[in-house]
């Protein structure tokens, strides 16, 4: 679809307001035109007639017009803000949902801060184009057009001059468009890059401090800022050139029209009384066009950002399931089995496969541990079960059904995952737990927290469950965060539980506590425990060893130890 048409369609839902704003713009132009007529008439009275009768009334009328126009301008601004607010919040919501659908892999492929820039500044910068330029387009077309026609029928030669001025005013920006567009796209990109750099530096602040690298990073950021400065100067130069030509065309058009008018009066072709009218109308004719060009320049950043926004919206969701059923089916009563059948998978950017022909069945209620060196493909198993990606060969079955047959929501609803890193949102401990189950009662929160061995430390926080995380120096240790994450998983109460290195960066005491919590948790669930530290998995029913993207061994702890292969080596390496 045409880019500009797509931009216009962003106003969907606020068309009525946009039409209202256009009508206001026309009224404002009409007020200017009425004033031009009134002033011309006053001058005719002063210079061409003997009496000044009626001059007072005219002056009063002009004064009234000025007041009314001020009022209209004020309304116009309010309308613009309202349209902008509705449009921006709708678009942000749409973008956010789409990014959610695209999932973590997409977000990781973007540099940190890049997506934020699009969501905040990018959407913000659309405002001039959508709320000022588009309505003004009609105002200029109708307003300037009608005035030009009126002048034309007063005197066709002057009409021709005015029309030429209009053509230059309208076409020059179009001719310059591609150049200006490219320069301003560079400007937007450097802006987004600078933004991303700062976010990156802020997130890595402790690392910069530790390596004494803040100075160097500062110099790097300054360099980036200078680049941005140069891009903005280029942008300024080109838009100034553009608008100078356009202003010149407007002024010259009005001046030539006046000159030609004077000549036509002298030649006796045009009545003197009409000269004043033409004089003032010619100026008014170019006013809406000048405004239009001004808004066009303000729109460039938004046009660049718009391309980026559409690029995100056009990115196809990598995996999609059938649409969720209108009525959500209850989870099955019996525990599901999970089965990998000949699964092979390679990441888009990966040079070699991450999983090769993996077949593995986890029976209902069974706890299977997956071990293996880092990079052997353990987390990839989790990414595939959650359908962040689909395998290139083979299939995964949940409860006997291919997971691609489940609506994504239903699939993910049945699986609770605890990752190595826990993200805690800004908010209270209770808010963070309720992510798993928004309508959980205080008693349910406490039960989950007790099971996860988290209740104890939560009660020691200043406000217990109502403590704001991250405020007033409330910092949680890795182990505490991990136990909150477990409590979340418990609250979700899904039949399948996946732990991906959940205890890897946790101290010994915490690990013991988590271990205890896990015993209760895995009892009634189909569980996959991925672990680096082998002490965490001895309660598992079965251990699967991944190596070099393939399953190399499977069995009970003692069997594998006795076999003396990879598992035995891993155990030996960890126990010195
Ligand atoms: P593990 O969890 O066992 O440490 P992973 O499953 O994370 O291993 O990774 C398996 C292989 O896939 C590794 O070679 C890793 O570099 C690669 N890999 C992991 N995630 C991605 C990704 N998002 N894009 C490209 N390659 C990836
Ligand atoms: Mg991993």
């Amino acid at each position: 679809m045409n880019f500009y048409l797509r931009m216009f369609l962003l106003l969907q839902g606020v068309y009525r307001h946009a039409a209202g704003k256009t009508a206001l713009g026309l009224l404002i132009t009409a007020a200017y035109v009425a004033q031009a007529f009134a002033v011309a008439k006053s001058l005719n009275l002063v210079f061409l007639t003997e009496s000044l009768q009626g001059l007072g009334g005219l002056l009063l009328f002009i004064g009234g017009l000025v007041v009314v126009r001020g009022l209209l301008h004020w309304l116009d601004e309010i309308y613009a803000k309202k349209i902008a607010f509705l449009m921006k919040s709708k678009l942000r919501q749409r973008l956010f949902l789409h990014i959610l659908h695209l999932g973590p892999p997409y977000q990781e492929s973007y540099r940190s801060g890049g997506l934020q820039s699009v969501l905040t500044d990018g959407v913000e910068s659309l405002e001039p184009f959508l709320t000022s330029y588009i309505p003004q387009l009609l105002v200029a077309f109708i307003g300037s057009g009608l005035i030009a026609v009126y002048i034309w029928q007063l005197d066709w030669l002057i009409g021709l001059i005015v029309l030429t001025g209009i053509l230059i005013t309208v076409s020059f920006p179009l001719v310059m468009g591609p150049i200006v567009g490219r320069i301003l796209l560079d400007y937007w990109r450097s802006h987004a890059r600078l933004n991303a750099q700062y976010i990156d530096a802020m997130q890595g602040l402790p690392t910069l401090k530790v390596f004494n690298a803040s100075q160097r990073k500062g110099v790097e950021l300054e360099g980036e800022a200078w680049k941005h400065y140069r891009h903005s100067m280029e942008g300024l130069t080109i838009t100034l050139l553009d608008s100078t030509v356009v202003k010149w065309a407007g002024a010259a058009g009005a001046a030539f029209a006046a000159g030609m008018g004077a000549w036509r009066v002298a030649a006796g072709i045009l009545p003197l009384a009409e000269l004043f009218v033409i004089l003032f109308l010619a100026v008014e004719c170019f006013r809406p066009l000048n405004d239009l060009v001004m808004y066009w320049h303000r729109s460039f950043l938004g046009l660049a950002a718009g391309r980026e926004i559409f690029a995100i919206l056009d990115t196809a969701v990598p995996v999609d399931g059938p649409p969720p059923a209108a009525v959500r089916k209850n989870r099955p009563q019996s525990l599901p089995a999970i089965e990998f059948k000949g699964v092979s998978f390679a990441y888009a950017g990966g040079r070699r496969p991450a999983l090769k022909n993996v077949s593995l069945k986890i029976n209902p209620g069974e706890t299977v541990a997956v071990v293996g060196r880092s990079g052997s493909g353990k987390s990839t198993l989790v990414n595939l079960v959650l359908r962040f990606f689909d395998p290139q060969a083979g299939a995964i079955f949940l409860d006997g059904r291919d997971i691609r047959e489940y609506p994504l929501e239903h699939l993910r609803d049945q699986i609770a995952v605890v990752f190595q890193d826990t993200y805690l949102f800004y908010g209270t401990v209770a808010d963070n737990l309720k992510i798993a189950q928004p309508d959980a009662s205080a008693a349910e929160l406490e039960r989950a927290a007790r099971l996860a061995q988290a209740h104890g430390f939560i009660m020691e926080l200043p406000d217990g469950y109502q403590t704001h995380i991250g405020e007033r120096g409330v910092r949680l240790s890795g182990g505490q965060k991990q136990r909150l994450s477990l409590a979340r998983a418990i609250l979700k109460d899904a039949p399948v539980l996946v732990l991906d290195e959940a205890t890897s960066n946790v101290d010994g005491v915490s690990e013991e506590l988590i271990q205890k919590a896990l015993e209760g948790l895995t009892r009634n669930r189909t569980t996959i425990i991925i672990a680096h530290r082998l002490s965490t998995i001895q309660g598992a029913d079965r251990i699967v060893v991944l190596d070099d993207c393939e399953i190399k061994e499977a069995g009970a702890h003692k069997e594998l130890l006795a076999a003396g292969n990879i598992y035995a080596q891993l155990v030996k390496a960890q126990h010195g």
Side-chain angles (χ1 to χ4, degrees):
M1 204 195 309
N2 179 280
F3 171 74
Y4 294 100
L5 181 62
R6 265 188 107 171
M7 289 290 277
F8 177 75
L9 289 178
L10 289 178
L11 285 173
Q12 224 163 26
V14 288
Y15 288 143
R16 230 160 25 104
H17 293 305
K21 186 168 185 302
T22 308
L24 270 175
L26 282 172
L27 276 178
I28 291 171
T29 304
Y32 275 117
V33 170
Q35 185 179 338
F37 274 112
V39 171
K41 185 121 203 261
S42 314
L43 288 179
N44 278 339
L45 270 183
V46 173
F47 294 110
L48 303 180
T49 49
E50 303 299 304
S51 83
L52 290 182
Q53 207 186 355
L55 188 63
L58 273 174
L59 290 181
L60 216 63
F61 177 66
I62 293 172
L65 271 180
V66 172
V67 174
V68 168
R69 211 172 47 228
L71 214 67
L72 289 175
H73 269 300
W74 178 69
L75 273 177
D76 194 57
E77 287 288 312
I78 289 180
Y79 240 124
K81 282 290 159 220
K82 185 166 176 182
I83 297 172
F85 168 75
L86 291 172
M87 179 274 297
K88 286 186 291 191
S89 45
K90 225 179 88 181
L91 181 60
R92 285 207 175 98
Q93 182 77 359
R94 196 172 139 203
L95 265 174
F96 180 67
L97 281 179
H98 191 70
I99 292 170
L100 275 189
H101 274 298
L102 288 171
Y106 180 76
Q107 203 208 343
E108 281 166 19
S109 73
Y110 241 88
R111 68 168 300 175
S112 59
L115 276 180
Q116 284 95 316
S117 288
V118 178
L119 266 171
T120 51
D121 298 353
V123 173
E124 202 63 32
S125 67
L126 295 179
E127 192 175 325
F129 183 77
L130 292 175
T131 64
S132 301
Y133 181 79
I134 289 182
Q136 185 66 20
L137 210 55
L138 259 184
V139 173
F141 189 75
I142 298 176
S144 300
L146 283 180
I147 297 174
V149 167
Y150 185 77
I151 294 178
W152 183 285
Q153 59 84 39
L154 286 183
D155 188 299
W156 68 271
L157 203 58
I158 300 175
L160 204 63
I161 290 174
V162 169
L163 213 61
T164 312
I166 290 181
L167 279 181
I168 297 177
T169 312
V170 172
S171 59
F172 191 70
L174 292 184
V175 174
M176 294 288 282
I179 307 170
V180 180
R182 210 194 52 235
I183 288 178
L184 285 153
L185 187 62
D186 285 344
Y187 171 75
W188 158 254
R189 292 215 173 114
S190 78
H191 170 84
R193 196 163 50 233
L194 185 66
N195 211 11
Q197 295 272 58
Y198 268 105
I199 291 180
D200 199 28
M202 295 310 287
Q203 283 174 347
L205 206 67
T207 312
L208 290 178
K209 280 277 166 218
V210 168
F211 287 100
N212 254 334
S214 1
Q215 199 93 38
R216 267 175 286 151
K217 196 74 184 170
V219 172
E220 203 180 294
L221 282 171
E222 202 192 330
E224 202 62 55
W226 273 107
K227 262 192 231 157
H228 183 51
Y229 167 73
R230 278 194 295 275
H231 281 300
S232 58
M233 288 316 278
E234 274 173 23
L236 191 63
T237 310
I238 195 83
T239 50
L240 274 180
L241 172 71
D242 204 12
S243 55
T244 305
V245 171
V246 166
K247 285 228 172 77
W248 175 85
F256 277 121
M260 178 59 72
W263 180 73
R264 303 280 270 184
V265 170
I269 302 168
L270 189 73
L272 183 57
E274 280 175 11
L275 180 65
F276 289 128
V277 174
I278 288 179
L279 226 58
F280 289 104
L281 276 190
V283 174
E284 292 314 323
C285 185
F286 288 100
R287 190 191 300 276
L289 288 170
N290 272 329
D291 285 350
L292 185 70
V293 173
M294 180 178 76
Y295 294 142
W296 176 243
H297 287 149
R298 288 189 194 158
S299 303
F300 270 119
L301 208 55
L303 293 175
R307 288 177 207 280
E308 197 121 355
I309 288 170
F310 291 142
I312 294 176
L313 290 176
D314 287 343
T315 307
V317 177
V319 292
D320 217 349
V327 185
R328 185 171 278 220
K329 268 194 282 176
N330 284 331
R331 287 178 186 150
Q333 287 300 305
S334 59
L335 286 175
I338 300 174
E339 185 169 11
F340 292 77
K341 269 194 194 161
V343 169
S344 294
F345 176 73
Y347 288 98
R351 259 170 283 146
R352 48 190 203 86
L355 287 178
K356 279 188 285 196
N357 196 21
V358 168
S359 292
L360 168 67
K361 180 161 186 191
I362 302 152
N363 295 314
E366 195 184 15
T367 298
V368 167
V370 179
V371 300
R373 278 186 274 268
S374 93
S376 58
K378 303 182 298 293
S379 297
T380 305
L381 285 178
V382 184
N383 286 340
L384 294 182
V385 169
L386 288 172
R387 284 200 74 203
F388 287 156
F389 303 93
D390 279 335
Q392 280 98 12
I396 302 167
F397 297 84
L398 178 75
D399 205 17
R401 269 173 73 190
D402 192 324
I403 55 172
R404 282 169 293 199
E405 288 173 19
Y406 291 92
L408 283 176
E409 283 88 345
H410 293 201
L411 174 71
R412 291 175 188 160
D413 193 40
Q414 297 189 54
I415 306 170
V417 188
V418 181
F419 292 106
Q420 181 169 358
D421 296 312
T422 306
Y423 193 83
L424 295 177
F425 289 92
Y426 179 81
T428 64
V429 173
D431 293 339
N432 268 287
L433 290 178
K434 280 183 179 176
I435 286 172
Q437 197 193 321
D439 48 6
S441 68
E444 283 170 313
L445 291 186
E446 190 181 322
R447 198 192 127 254
R450 275 186 195 281
L451 273 174
Q453 308 286 329
H455 181 70
F457 82 81
I458 293 174
M459 291 317 286
E460 280 166 22
L461 295 174
D463 299 316
Y465 285 82
Q466 297 311 319
T467 308
H468 267 273
I469 293 169
E471 261 183 15
R472 281 188 289 157
V474 177
R475 295 273 179 276
L476 302 180
S477 74
Q480 290 171 331
K481 280 187 190 170
Q482 210 52 287
R483 278 179 273 159
L484 280 188
S485 173
L486 265 184
R488 265 186 199 163
I490 294 170
L491 267 178
K492 184 166 176 186
D493 196 24
V496 178
L497 176 67
V498 179
L499 304 163
D500 188 357
E501 311 250 7
T503 57
S504 285
N505 49 12
V506 159
D507 57 279
V509 179
S510 287
E511 191 181 358
E512 222 167 275
L513 285 170
I514 291 173
Q515 203 57 43
K516 227 156 90 192
L518 281 182
E519 277 161 29
L521 196 55
T522 59
R523 199 167 299 140
N524 236 330
R525 289 185 172 81
T526 306
T527 310
I528 302 177
I529 299 182
I530 290 169
H532 197 67
R533 244 186 261 176
L534 302 175
S535 54
T536 32
I537 59 163
Q538 277 159 21
D541 300 313
R542 202 149 44 105
I543 297 167
V544 170
V545 183
L546 264 185
D547 196 49
D548 202 17
C549 321
E550 285 179 296
I551 293 183
K552 291 282 168 68
E553 289 182 282
H557 174 68
K558 285 213 177 86
E559 284 168 41
L560 292 177
L561 215 51
N565 287 329
I566 303 171
Y567 183 73
Q569 283 166 22
L570 283 172
V571 172
K572 209 169 138 204
Q574 283 197 8
H575 292 292

